[in-house]
Amino acid sequence: MRIVFMGTPAYATTILEALLKNSDIEVILLVTQEDKPVGRRQTLTPPHIKTWLLEHDLHVEIYQPKSLRTEEAHVKIARLKPDYIVVAAYGQILPKEVLSIAPCINLHASLLPKYRGASPIQSTLLANETYAGVTSMLMAEGLDTGAMLGFTYLKIKPEHNAPMLFDLLADVAAKLTIMTLQNFPLLAPLAQVNANATHCKKIKKEDGLVSFDQRAQSIATQYKALTPWPGVFLESGLKLLDLEFYSDEEETLVGVIKEIKAEGIVVTCKEGTLLLKTLQPISKNAMNAVDYIRGKRLNCGHTLV
């Protein structure tokens, strides 16, 4: 079968790799986002999936349109006469002209209809869900509203953070993609119950702002969901690069250094405490939390910020 694949980050790369290894599948075109300026020097950087494809010298044509809402994009894809268009974290909504070319199958990283939208994995963690999963679905003009074709899921463990879940879900999504394509003629698409739908927004930098006036468990949850970007940070700009939930004991004061340990410092929150291991002050390198407080001449009983 002939496949046009659309995807951008590492999650999509894992799925593309599985498609390329399958002898029954021919990937005839990769559609991905444009190269973008990254970092302070604004270095023009290709998407993860393009870099991977070029590094492995795989002869798949790469197409990076600014928008799919052009006649050029429609004609280019339509002329290839794909049997299916497979989409995974591409980053653009497909217009109806593209949706009409061939069945468009999306691998969305949530158990739909929950967490439609741009940040399903982060939102799953922020909601303290028990399970995370991937849904294969037929794409419609709405945002993740199409009929569902298949599911796969896993149980979220206490140590799981966003990067771990991205990797784990990419692996199961790759298997689900192959199963969906191989069995597509036999599948009976299941309409989503819109009344049960939830939506998740695109993550912004300000979502990483935390305060010791929060519960310790709440900050730890944000840390797991928002690492590595935007990360979690205090209003002062101090970044909390490595932390873990320490205890749920009630505290009378917040933001106070309660204990100094070899691996970091224990700080009080509105409810419970956190073990802060690595911190990064504004415009400085990351450092061990103990070294940070020593440099600030802080000790047990002092307020961290």
Side-chain angles (χ1 to χ4, degrees), residues 3 33 71 81 99 133 141 205 218 227 238 270 281:
I3 302 293
Q33 295 286 350
E71 183 179 358
K81 297 182 179 179
L99 293 172
E141 287 189 67
K205 184 175 181 179
S218 173
T227 297
L238 183 67
K270 181 179 180 180

Side-chain angles (χ1 to χ4, degrees), residues 252-263:
T252 55
L253 298 174
V254 301
V256 172
I257 301 169
K258 186 174 183 179
E259 186 178 352
I260 300 173
K261 303 172 69 68
E263 64 269 38

Side-chain angles (χ1 to χ4, degrees), residues 29-32 49-50 53-54 60-64 76:
L29 181 69
L30 167 65
V31 183
T32 189
I49 198 167
K50 176 184 176 181
L53 200 63
L54 295 175
V60 176
E61 182 182 358
I62 300 171
Y63 182 44
Q64 297 176 270
K76 183 173 184 64

Side-chain angles (χ1 to χ4, degrees), residues 85-147:
I85 297 172
V86 177
V87 183
Y90 170 51
Q92 290 187 33
I93 295 177
L94 273 60
K96 62 181 180 180
E97 291 80 10
V98 173
L99 293 172
S100 67
I101 294 172
C104 295
I105 300 170
N106 184 27
L107 281 301
H108 185 70
S110 82
L111 296 172
L112 291 170
K114 271 194 169 183
Y115 308 119
R116 295 173 177 174
S119 57
I121 293 176
Q122 296 95 327
S123 297
T124 296
L125 286 169
L126 287 170
N128 288 306
E129 295 282 5
T130 303
Y131 295 95
V134 178
T135 305
S136 62
M137 54 172 281
L138 281 172
M139 298 185 73
E141 287 189 67
L143 180 62
D144 302 323
T145 58

Side-chain angles (χ1 to χ4, degrees), residues 274-288:
L274 293 170
L275 176 63
L276 306 183
K277 299 178 181 180
T278 307
L279 305 174
Q280 185 176 12
I282 295 176
S283 301
K284 294 187 178 180
N285 294 328
M287 64 180 69
N288 180 279

Side-chain angles (χ1 to χ4, degrees), residues 188-225:
L190 178 66
Q192 296 186 44
V193 179
N194 289 328
N196 295 335
T198 62
H199 295 79
C200 50
K201 60 184 178 63
K202 186 176 181 179
I203 299 296
K204 298 180 180 179
K205 184 175 181 179
E206 54 263 34
D207 293 324
L209 178 64
V210 297
S211 166
F212 294 126
D213 285 320
Q214 295 175 233
R215 293 170 52 249
Q217 190 64 69
S218 173
I219 296 174
T221 296
Q222 274 182 263
Y223 168 74
K224 289 180 181 180

Side-chain angles (χ1 to χ4, degrees), residues 5 10 23 34 44 61 73 95 115 117 133 138 145-147 158 251 276 296:
F5 186 81
S23 59
E34 296 180 296
L44 198 61
E61 182 182 358
Y115 308 119
L138 281 172
T145 58
E251 301 294 338
L276 306 183
K296 293 285 187 180

